[in-house]
Amino acid sequence: MERIRKALERRPPRRILVVRLSALGDVLHCLPALTALRMTFPEARIGWVTESLSASLLEGHPDLERVIRFPRKEIARDLPRVRTGVAAFERAEQFVSELRLHAYDLLLEFQGNLRSAAIAALARAQIRVGHHRRETKEFPWLVRASRPRTPAGEVHQVEKNLFLIRALGYRGSVTAGRLPAYTAEVCRIGAALDLGRGAPTILHPFVSAFGRFKEWPEERFAQLARGLAERGHRVLLTAALEDRPRRDRILALAGDAALAAPETASVRELAALLRLARLVVAADTGPLHIAAAAGVPVVGLFGPKDPKRYGPFGDGTAVLRGIVPCSPCRLRRCDHAICMQAIAVSDVLAACEATVGVPIPAAGG
């Protein structure tokens, strides 16, 4: 890596490609590294390859010239079907053409799995850089790349990603990542929120289907909503389309303490909604990290994963972790999720008050 660093000092890269495909939280944990990359090579044109959901979140980012969408889910959906199989091949061909539209002087592969390695191999890049082999998940030898001599260690994902930029010459402190402005989305959602009544506290009780055991119990979110409302918070609940029946159950349990948040038609509109919040409370899921990246105070509820490595990053963030002997773990499913059940409503309420500053007196108190 020292040889690569010196070569880049002599001849700074004109075009750089970042590869980090998914999930939302992992993509957002790369944003501080993107800022450091821009500070290290201020004249470079930077592109980013990511999957469709994350691509819409990144489009318009001030540090990016272009965002290349990898339509993995669309290809996987269409490929097995006779009628759409040809379309899947056409999508893949179009993606490869866009990937190879430019030759890159430097490629940074932040993901370290087979899928991202294949994309890095397909791209036309003179220098490829990736994490230490111990910190890659699958077949790092498939891509010829320069790697740090030592792993980053047991550090937060943000620090791990910055470790690569430091190896390329960055000497600054940990930078705060940033998001695009989402101006149109903020205007639309702001009008729907009626901000004259004050910025809302947003609860996002759900995670993606494959990680349901990371969720806090629904009845506890209802109790939290009631406790926050008693303290003067205007509480709104967000949910993806498939989670709205569950959201409605929580609203029924919460009574008049909470309302459904305005509907959002895209991840950009969700980001705009979260940006306008006073406080966001969520489990280990994308919206928690979007809010943190937007500089909104957050309270994260963690059980299976270690928040020291995967928690929300930045000022104004608080984490409550269910302390049980089996946490953290690497399971993909769990039938009891006692770690999440170990988080008490009273502790979350206290964290909310501490995070937003001066506690709001409970009604009548």
Side-chain angles (χ1 to χ4, degrees), residues 14-45:
R14 293 168 298 175
R15 289 193 177 274
I16 300 173
L17 185 65
V18 171
V19 179
R20 175 71 235 195
L21 304 177
S22 62
L24 276 180
D26 294 322
V27 168
L28 292 163
H29 285 157
C30 285
L31 290 179
L34 175 63
T35 301
L37 187 65
R38 166 59 66 211
M39 294 170 68
T40 306
F41 304 112
E43 303 301 322
R45 296 182 176 183

Side-chain angles (χ1 to χ4, degrees), residues 181-253:
Y182 308 130
T183 304
E185 292 84 2
V186 167
C187 288
R188 191 189 83 75
I189 296 297
L193 274 179
D194 187 14
L195 292 173
R197 299 173 55 197
T201 289
I202 292 179
L203 311 184
H204 187 84
F206 312 111
V207 305
S208 54
F210 71 86
R212 293 292 189 201
F213 71 114
K214 297 192 291 182
E215 292 179 345
W216 203 39
E218 292 178 10
E219 61 274 12
R220 296 197 191 179
F221 266 109
Q223 293 173 38
L224 176 64
R226 291 196 296 270
L228 289 169
E230 289 171 359
R231 288 159 173 79
H233 291 249
R234 179 187 171 205
V235 182
L236 302 179
L237 265 67
T238 51
L241 180 62
E242 64 272 17
D243 293 320
R244 287 175 190 169
R246 302 169 66 209
R247 175 203 62 188
D248 293 343
R249 287 203 301 267
I250 297 174
L251 290 172
L253 290 170

Side-chain angles (χ1 to χ4, degrees), residues 283-301:
D284 177 19
T285 186
L288 176 74
H289 301 293
I290 293 173
V296 175
V298 302
V299 174
L301 310 179

Side-chain angles (χ1 to χ4, degrees), residues 140-158:
W141 44 266
L142 284 177
V143 177
R144 190 174 181 180
S146 297
R147 306 180 188 276
R149 287 188 176 182
T150 60
E154 298 293 318
V155 296
H156 195 281
Q157 290 296 102
V158 166

